[in-house]
Amino acid sequence: MQEDEILLISRVSDALAHPARIKIFRFIMSCNKQLQPVCNKDVVAHFDYAQATISQHIGTLVKSGLVEVKKENKFSYYYVNIGMLSNYLAAARKFD
């Protein structure tokens, strides 16, 4: 394994280490598949978490590269970075 693959596995695994982040990531991915825009209020409405908690979890997902943010006017929309997810899965397959 290359050093960059080890760092990738570490960073993304850390982001997915919390059950709430996995749920939020899957929700964003599901909305993206249906071509529905996802902003913070959508995530807050879907889950029984405080807005501040949602923002912290999304921040962790963004920092890991799994989720990208696109700002339009006063809203921020979230998109799953499929390339990052694919790179993570490919690196994890080399883990032995």
Side-chain angles (χ1 to χ4, degrees):
M1 287 185 87
Q2 302 287 331
E3 183 69 18
D4 60 332
E5 292 171 320
I6 292 169
L7 294 173
L8 172 70
I9 291 172
S10 174
R11 184 178 64 246
V12 174
S13 293
D14 187 49
L16 294 174
H18 195 288
R21 287 194 289 270
I22 293 172
K23 292 174 186 175
I24 292 167
F25 181 74
R26 291 185 70 224
F27 174 72
I28 294 169
M29 188 183 314
S30 173
C31 290
N32 289 171
K33 284 181 182 178
Q34 297 171 26
L35 302 177
Q36 295 176 345
V38 183
C39 64
N40 204 52
K41 70 176 180 64
D42 300 320
V43 181
V44 171
H46 188 78
F47 294 100
D48 191 27
Y49 302 122
Q51 190 275 330
T53 302
I54 295 285
S55 292
Q56 283 183 320
H57 286 312
I58 289 175
T60 300
L61 292 168
V62 169
K63 187 175 176 183
S64 74
L66 283 172
V67 171
E68 295 179 336
V69 181
K70 296 201 168 107
K71 297 185 187 269
E72 293 181 25
N73 300 319
K74 62 181 180 175
F75 295 101
S76 295
Y77 293 96
Y78 304 115
Y79 300 91
V80 168
N81 182 343
I82 295 297
M84 178 61 74
L85 181 60
S86 296
N87 291 342
Y88 170 72
L89 294 172
R93 282 188 205 101
K94 294 181 182 179
F95 196 87
D96 53 16

